[in-house]
Structure formats: structure tokens, C-alpha cells
Amino acid sequence: MGENKEHEEPKITTIEEGEKQVELILEPHLKSYITGNIMACEVISVAINILPTLNLRDVSSSLKATTSLLIKNVNDLRTMRILAAKGYSTQTATIASSLYESSYMLAYIAGDEELANQWIEHTDPRNLPTGIKKFTEEALKKQVDDYEQIARQEYHKYHQLCMAKHSNPLIQKNHGFLIEESNVIAEFGPEIGEHSIRLSCFALENSISFVMTGLVAYINAHLINYDISPLQEKLNQLSSYFNQLQNESYKKWAQQSE
């Protein structure tokens, strides 16, 4: 006898299955941003592998601190890539805000042994060794002339990312529900809405520039006596690609407000 299809139970999609479907939907929207993310990871990997194996007594406090932060950055980048691809944009932005902190802390410490020791010996679980705004300014002061204006711009990006981290209603009100015709449905799991895509792209794009700021400080402080020509080539490629992403984002969203 044939199966009675009238009494078949509807199949319920699991979150894991939904994430796989969402990845296919989001792939064309995120492809160029994820490519930039992968390039950034590769540049960091090259930088870390330039240094030879060192005896423990030859590892300075600044090298220890900045290498630890650089490794955190590459892990953050990969985590962001996974989350964004699966449709978790607020979580992607949250990781990006943390990556900002480690990137600029890295650039602030650079090769300064006193600052590195303060970081290593820090014992307050509630606060960083230095205020985020201050180490943003001090980090950029070491790299560019017009550091105050750039620091304001970068710190503004950080605040935008922190809105996602702190569930600011300016961000959160656009997440967690689905509108179908005149109905509102509470929905957890991955998202594919325009606002969610834009937030993931914003986080992925700007995390590249944060990482480059930290990486330039790392190179100048710790790799200047080594052959960095392969690294410099990859860093230049990443910088050029980042500029392309900025142009792409501007064309997509310049006329929209957050």
C-alpha cells in the first residue's frame, strides 16, 4: 500500500538547518567583505611567522603583550566571519568592538616596555589599563599627523559597534522579529534583513582598518630588523582592498541613515 501523505507531520526546520540556508542567501551580500576578512587573517599570520623561535629571556614585555593581542585579533576576525556568514550581525558587531579595543591597545603599547608591563601587571577586572579614547588617540599619534581628527572618526565607529554590544535600541529595535504583511513575529536565530546585512558589512569592513593600525605598530616595533617584503606586499594589497570595500559600502548605503 502507498503512504498516506495526508497525515504526514510538517517538517520543522532546526536552527542549524536554518543557518545553512541563511549562509546561501547571505553569501553574495557578504562575499567581498569576507574576502577582506580572510586577507586580514593571512596578513597577521605572515607577520607572526616572521619572528624566529626565541628564547624566553629574549622576549620583551612589549613583544609578549602585542603578540598576544595580535593573536586575539586573528581569532576575533575568524569568529566574526563565522557569525556574519550564519546571520548573526549583532554578535558580529560585538566581536568587532572588542577587536577595536585590542587593535588600538596593541598600537598604543607598540614597543613601549613600560606600557607593556602596565598591561601585563594589570589586576583590575572592571577596567582596562588605559581609557579607550586615550589609547586610540595615543596610538594614532604615533602613526599619523592629523591624529586627533582620525581618532574622533575611529572612536565614532567604535561607539556604533558598541550600540550592538549594549543592546542600544537604535540597533536592537531592528532585530529579533519578522514582519509578514500586517503580522509581527518574534524570531530568534539567524537574520537576513537589510539592516542586519548592513551591520555585518560595517563590522567586517571596519575591523580590517582596526587590524591594520595595530599591525603597522607591531611591524615598526618588532619586525623592522627582519625581511618584511612579503608582509609589506600583502599589507599593501589589504589596504588597497579595504579602500575598494569603502567605496562599495558608500555606493550601497551613503543615502541611508543608521
Side-chain angles (χ1 to χ4, degrees):
M1 297 178 63
E3 295 182 3
N4 188 347
K5 297 185 181 295
E6 292 183 4
H7 299 291
E8 284 184 355
E9 293 292 332
K11 189 178 186 300
I12 300 175
T13 302
T14 66
I15 289 182
E16 289 76 12
E17 290 169 338
E19 288 173 352
K20 292 178 181 179
Q21 295 172 10
V22 162
E23 285 188 71
L24 295 175
I25 296 170
L26 292 179
E27 194 273 339
H29 298 283
L30 301 180
K31 183 177 181 179
S32 56
Y33 296 88
I34 287 180
T35 296
N37 177 286
I38 293 171
M39 290 174 66
C41 289
E42 291 174 348
V43 173
I44 294 175
S45 177
V46 171
I48 291 173
N49 287 316
I50 283 177
L51 285 173
T53 301
L54 299 173
N55 188 287
L56 184 59
R57 65 174 178 269
D58 297 325
V59 178
S60 65
S61 293
S62 62
L63 180 58
K64 178 181 179 180
T66 54
T67 302
S68 174
L69 290 167
L70 198 58
I71 290 170
K72 175 186 177 297
N73 280 355
V74 75
N75 290 336
D76 283 349
L77 285 169
R78 177 161 174 76
T79 301
M80 288 175 60
R81 183 163 81 241
I82 294 169
L83 289 170
K86 292 182 179 297
Y88 295 99
S89 57
T90 56
Q91 289 71 28
T92 302
T94 296
I95 299 296
S97 69
S98 178
L99 181 144
Y100 176 98
E101 295 167 5
S102 54
S103 294
Y104 275 97
M105 179 61 77
L106 189 167
Y108 172 56
I109 295 172
D112 191 309
E113 295 303 301
E114 182 179 351
L115 293 178
N117 284 324
Q118 289 176 10
W119 185 83
I120 292 169
E121 296 166 7
H122 183 68
T123 59
D124 185 351
R126 299 167 298 175
N127 300 295
L128 290 167
T130 307
I132 297 170
K133 187 174 183 180
K134 178 182 178 181
F135 68 65
T136 298
E137 293 175 346
E138 292 298 321
L140 289 168
K141 188 176 182 179
K142 299 175 183 179
Q143 296 189 19
V144 295
D145 293 329
D146 191 14
Y147 72 92
E148 292 178 325
Q149 179 181 350
I150 297 174
R152 285 193 295 270
Q153 294 170 346
E154 292 295 277
Y155 197 63
H156 178 63
K157 295 175 185 176
Y158 172 68
H159 267 294
Q160 290 177 292
L161 293 167
C162 283
M163 287 196 294
K165 177 167 67 174
H166 299 309
S167 299
N168 187 303
L170 289 172
I171 293 286
Q172 192 57 43
K173 67 185 179 182
N174 295 299
H175 299 268
F177 61 86
L178 178 67
I179 298 177
E180 290 185 349
E181 297 178 351
S182 60
N183 299 317
V184 179
I185 304 170
E187 185 176 60
F188 58 88
E191 297 179 283
I192 57 173
E194 181 69 17
H195 192 278
S196 183
I197 292 172
R198 183 182 177 185
L199 181 58
S200 285
C201 291
F202 177 80
L204 289 166
E205 174 191 319
N206 286 288
S207 64
I208 296 171
S209 69
F210 304 156
V211 163
M212 286 194 294
T213 298
L215 194 52
V216 167
Y218 187 83
I219 292 169
N220 291 337
H222 303 296
L223 302 182
I224 205 68
N225 295 322
Y226 297 90
D227 178 15
I228 61 169
S229 51
L231 172 60
Q232 190 63 58
E233 182 180 356
K234 283 188 172 295
L235 186 58
N236 290 340
Q237 291 172 351
L238 179 63
S239 179
S240 177
Y241 192 85
F242 171 70
N243 291 333
Q244 293 177 33
L245 279 184
Q246 284 187 308
N247 292 333
E248 180 179 332
S249 296
Y250 181 80
K251 291 176 182 178
K252 285 181 180 178
W253 296 302
Q255 304 304 317
Q256 299 180 24
S257 59
E258 186 63 63

